[in-house]
Amino acid sequence: MDAGAKPQDRYVVGVDYGTLSGRALVVRVGDGAELGTAVHEYRHGVMDTTLAADGRPLPADWALQDPDDYREVLRQAVPAALAASGVDPAQVVAVGIDFTACTVLPTLADGTPLCELPDLRTRPHAWVKLWKHHAAQPQADRINALAHARGESWIGRYGGKISAEWQYAKGLQLLEEDPEVYARAERWIEAADWIVWQLCGVETRNVCTAGYKGLLQDGHYPSPAYLAALNPGFADFVAKIDGPLAQLGARAGGLTAQAAAWTGLPEGIAVAVGNVDAHVTAAAAQALTPGRLVAIMGTSTCHVVNGTERAEVAGMCGVVDGGISAGSWGYEAGQSGVGDIFGWYVKHAAPAGFDSHEALTEAAAAQPVGAHGLVALDWWNGNRSLLVNHDLSGVLVGLTLATRPPEVYRALLESTAYGTRMIIEAFAEAGVPVDELIVAGGLTGNSLLMQIYADVTRRPLGIIGSAQGPALGSAIHAAVAAGAYPDVPTASAAMGRVDREVYRPDPERADAYDALYAEYRRLHDHFGRGGDDVLLRLRAIRNAARRPAVASSAETTTDPLEVPA
């Protein structure tokens, strides 16, 4: 297809890699119309209890994936989306992808995943570590303590703490628990960059993940001296993550013959540089203007917002020049558990008659604010922002014999809104304004939850005009990579969509939530900032209790898994 053809005759494909599945979306370049979509669930899902290769148990807080599940999305979802769209593949001019982050894997220099080498197939550290792999918290604690002790300038750009989810904590865990696999890992790469490598045969590192997860600031990574002070064997880590740096919306390369065979797309079309699912959604929601915060709400929530000035915001995931779009400082924050918390309650705690989101939401919506007498902390999967500690756990206060399931459910919904308000207030206190909240992701369909967020945050709440925000965002970047638009903001204006101020805060409910939020903050600081470390002690007791079973299963091997997190 001639890339110079009219926009209405050109199409792009966006592929969104989530936690449990990948989705492909066919989009018209001229107006962003979504013409066909398909989803492929990962065959291995999330390996958080056992390793698929041999069934051995995994230690606490592990979360692994199989990289071939990602290739299978290209083989299955992309052709299915094309078929559903009715678009002639010859009219597709580019493909773009986004991925959960920080999802990383060790590979050889040619991109071969170490878990696909026969002799490393049963070594857990050779597999992909999903974003929600939280077993590297001890390494994260050391990374942070040493950075402050040495006065490393970059630590302030990440709110003063590096997350256990990021590249360095996971890489240090790899070194210390399986040094052989670490030594054989010639590349340590974000899955977003790896799948682009699979598509175009060219290794790139996108500026988004390099900045937020790879600690690249002002053109420099942390120094070898700092890394060696963490562990002498860690001094070479940057060599594993450093690669050709590429801007968002740039062309990484052309689709290879192999990838064309997988996808049914024309060989040689543009492959856009990889991106993160949250950050790419800002373009889809027409939210690149500073002050418009996008909350991508699914299993977890990522909060991204552009600012005109660089500021250091305590407890944030990072501030990166051009991390969301060129010309602005991109800020990221997040909550490690949101939809996962609601799903946990429905699946494991709600009794018959209330074991669905629909039933619980309907009953919870009838309650006046505060009538349940409950406050919860949204830490069922640890805390990403502001405390940056994944050893923290959930809290529910105020239960009585009169408490009923819909009341607990509503308290859990509210707890996540309080966590988002904490993030918004931290941005504002640091001089990063948040004027408007725009929500994307699978939870936008719950009107009760959306109204709670508007009331709790006291801000108008818009809804992205697409059910496939990340995939649409990837398609927008693909259109730029193909040369259909000069830059991402221009493409966003033409192809993105949002319904603004769908929910407005109700003053009376907002006042009632202020009182509950004050209690949330007291609990947050008590359990998260040193008032009582009982949650950390309980986590240590749990991990110790699980250690014998894991260790005994590994005694017959030389696998370092017998040293659990």
Side-chain angles (χ1 to χ4, degrees):
M1 176 67 186
D2 180 5
K6 295 180 180 180
Q8 61 266 30
D9 297 328
R10 288 181 287 173
Y11 302 88
V12 287
V13 174
V15 184
D16 167 39
Y17 283 91
T19 299
L20 297 174
S21 63
R23 179 183 302 273
L25 180 69
V26 180
V27 179
R28 188 163 56 214
V29 169
D31 58 3
E34 301 173 16
L35 302 176
T37 187
V39 179
H40 180 75
E41 294 187 0
Y42 305 145
R43 183 164 68 91
H44 295 93
V46 178
M47 291 176 272
D48 54 6
T49 56
T50 58
L51 186 68
D54 60 2
R56 72 177 56 199
L58 295 171
D61 302 318
W62 277 58
L64 306 179
Q65 289 195 315
D66 186 336
D68 196 52
D69 287 347
Y70 307 150
R71 296 191 194 98
E72 197 63 18
V73 170
L74 302 176
R75 301 181 189 113
Q76 301 295 329
V78 174
L82 280 169
S85 72
V87 168
D88 181 352
Q91 294 179 289
V92 176
V93 295
V95 59
I97 71 97
D98 65 83
F99 227 107
T100 62
C102 177
T103 297
V104 286
L105 65 155
T107 77
L108 298 178
D110 65 357
T112 301
L114 294 192
C115 65
E116 295 183 355
L117 302 178
D119 64 321
L120 296 181
R121 190 73 176 161
T122 59
R123 301 284 278 272
H125 276 294
W127 293 69
V128 177
K129 286 186 172 66
L130 184 61
W131 65 267
K132 66 195 300 184
H133 176 96
H134 289 155
Q137 186 63 51
Q139 285 78 15
D141 292 340
R142 287 166 46 212
I143 287 169
N144 295 327
L146 183 64
H148 286 289
R150 290 172 54 95
E152 297 288 337
S153 61
W154 47 263
I155 191 68
R157 303 275 184 99
Y158 300 93
K161 285 186 177 181
I162 300 304
S163 171
E165 296 176 352
W166 293 176
Q167 290 183 16
Y168 286 72
K170 289 172 174 172
L172 186 57
Q173 183 196 17
L174 169 60
L175 168 66
E176 294 179 341
E177 296 186 9
D178 198 336
E180 180 187 349
V181 170
Y182 178 88
R184 293 179 65 179
E186 295 170 295
R187 313 302 285 150
W188 181 244
I189 187 167
E190 287 277 347
D193 295 326
W194 180 80
I195 201 67
V196 166
W197 196 351
Q198 297 293 294
L199 284 167
C200 67
V202 178
E203 180 185 5
T204 55
R205 303 292 174 127
N206 72 84
V207 296
C208 181
T209 53
Y212 292 105
K213 319 304 179 187
L215 312 187
L216 180 66
Q217 292 285 349
D218 302 325
H220 301 285
Y221 294 98
S223 69
Y226 165 77
L227 298 175
L230 282 169
N231 185 309
F234 205 48
D236 67 344
F237 183 67
V238 166
K240 299 177 187 291
I241 66 171
D242 195 16
L245 202 61
Q247 298 297 313
L248 304 179
R251 186 180 190 273
L255 195 71
T256 66
Q258 181 183 53
W262 291 343
T263 60
L265 296 173
E267 181 181 353
I269 64 169
V271 177
V273 169
N275 208 328
V276 179
D277 51 0
H279 302 69
V280 78
T281 304
Q286 295 183 335
L288 300 178
T289 301
R292 291 178 180 168
L293 184 144
V294 181
I296 300 88
M297 297 177 60
T299 55
S300 62
T301 293
C302 288
H303 309 76
V304 295
V305 61
N306 270 332
T308 57
E309 306 288 339
R310 190 193 78 203
E312 295 185 355
V313 188
M316 293 301 106
C317 301
V319 53
V320 175
D321 188 7
I324 299 173
S325 60
S328 296
W329 289 93
Y331 292 85
E332 176 191 353
Q335 293 165 272
S336 295
V338 178
D340 270 354
I341 299 175
F342 315 147
W344 163 84
Y345 185 72
V346 169
K347 183 177 181 180
H348 298 293
F354 287 110
D355 52 352
S356 74
H357 293 287
E358 293 76 14
L360 286 165
T361 297
E362 181 180 1
Q367 304 166 17
V369 175
H372 51 43
L374 304 172
V375 175
L377 293 178
D378 51 318
W379 300 345
W380 262 244
N381 198 25
N383 180 284
R384 183 182 297 161
S385 301
L386 306 172
L387 301 171
V388 199
N389 191 335
H390 293 287
D391 279 345
L392 294 171
S393 50
V395 173
L396 180 61
V397 175
L399 291 167
T400 73
L401 293 178
T403 303
R404 295 296 178 261
E407 297 174 325
V408 174
Y409 188 74
R410 180 169 183 133
L412 295 176
L413 299 183
E414 292 166 345
S415 74
T416 67
Y418 301 146
T420 288
R421 178 169 169 177
M422 290 281 291
I423 288 167
I424 290 173
E425 290 182 353
F427 277 134
E429 290 167 5
V432 181
V434 175
D435 306 314
E436 183 181 2
L437 184 62
I438 298 173
V439 178
L443 298 182
T444 56
N446 187 318
S447 59
L448 171 62
L449 181 65
M450 296 298 99
Q451 188 61 55
I452 287 172
Y453 270 65
D455 293 338
V456 168
T457 65
R458 289 185 175 271
R459 282 168 172 77
L461 191 151
I463 302 295
I464 190 173
S466 170
Q468 322 296 342
L472 176 58
S474 288
I476 288 170
H477 283 71
V480 176
Y485 294 97
D487 52 46
V488 174
T490 304
S492 170
M495 299 175 67
R497 58 184 64 91
V498 63
D499 297 315
R500 292 205 155 84
E501 299 191 9
V502 176
Y503 298 89
R504 293 176 176 269
D506 175 84
E508 184 175 342
R509 288 195 300 265
D511 289 343
Y513 273 127
D514 281 348
L516 288 169
Y517 176 65
E519 300 304 328
Y520 172 92
R521 288 198 64 138
R522 291 187 184 97
L523 290 172
H524 175 282
D525 292 348
H526 180 73
F527 288 111
R529 289 179 166 150
D532 193 326
D533 290 336
V534 61
L535 302 182
L536 305 182
R537 296 195 299 272
L538 289 172
R539 178 61 62 95
I541 291 170
R542 185 205 70 169
N543 289 355
R546 290 186 60 172
R547 184 173 294 122
V550 174
S552 62
S553 72
E555 286 173 355
T556 59
T557 76
T558 59
D559 194 312
L561 188 61
E562 63 185 15
V563 185

